[in-house]
């Protein structure tokens, strides 16, 4: 019997990077030239559902956004959010989408009066 895997590329990416060792290894390789800055045992999954209401003169629109993977950890004692967004096809607007995700997160943090400073995002 041959087993087949019906994972979409997006869900395969989420499944792979849900492993903290893989996430930390990939992030360290890409961001820190392989230096072990991000430790797998210090990763905490972070809620990444975001909602934005766009209100223009014609109509109000509720946009929901969700990143593929978001984790919270510290880098040299500074709490940071690290995200991975999978895109299986070329999308020239991807940089704008990722920028929107970051701005929504910063807006959410600004509303949280308990935070003393914004948590950086990568």
């Amino acid at each position: 019997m041959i087993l087949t895997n019906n994972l979409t590329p997006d869900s395969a990416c989420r499944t792979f990077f849900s492993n903290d060792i893989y996430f930390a290894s990939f992030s360290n390789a890409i961001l820190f030239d392989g230096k072990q800055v991000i430790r797998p045992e210090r990763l905490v999954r972070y809620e990444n559902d975001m909602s934005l209401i766009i209100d223009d003169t014609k109509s109000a629109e509720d946009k929901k956004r969700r990143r593929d993977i978001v984790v919270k950890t510290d880098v040299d004692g500074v709490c940071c959010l690290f995200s991975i967004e999978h895109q299986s096809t070329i999308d020239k607007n991807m940089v704008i989408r990722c920028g929107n995700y970051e701005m929504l997160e910063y807006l959410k943090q600004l509303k949280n009066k308990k935070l003393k400073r914004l948590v950086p995002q990568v």
Side-chain angles (χ1 to χ4, degrees), residues 25-84:
S25 296
F26 177 79
S27 299
N28 285 325
I30 298 297
L31 300 170
F32 303 107
D33 293 324
K35 185 178 173 194
Q36 299 303 300
V37 174
I38 299 172
R39 303 270 180 216
E41 66 275 6
R42 301 200 34 96
L43 296 177
V44 176
R45 297 294 149 176
Y46 189 78
E47 177 59 48
N48 65 348
D49 284 332
M50 297 175 208
S51 185
L52 168 69
I53 296 177
I54 299 171
D55 189 9
D56 62 16
T57 56
K58 296 176 185 171
S59 66
E61 192 177 346
D62 186 12
K63 295 280 190 186
K64 302 218 183 294
R65 298 285 181 251
R66 187 171 202 285
R67 286 184 169 178
D68 290 328
I69 300 285
V70 182
V71 298
K72 189 174 175 180
T73 192
D74 68 287
V75 174
D76 296 330
V78 177
C79 181
C80 298
L81 295 176
F82 289 87
S83 305
I84 293 178

Side-chain angles (χ1 to χ4, degrees), residues 88-103:
S88 27
T89 59
I90 295 172
D91 180 359
K92 63 182 180 182
N93 297 321
M94 190 63 184
V95 69
I96 294 168
R97 278 182 40 206
C98 288
N100 282 334
Y101 291 145
E102 291 176 14
M103 290 303 112

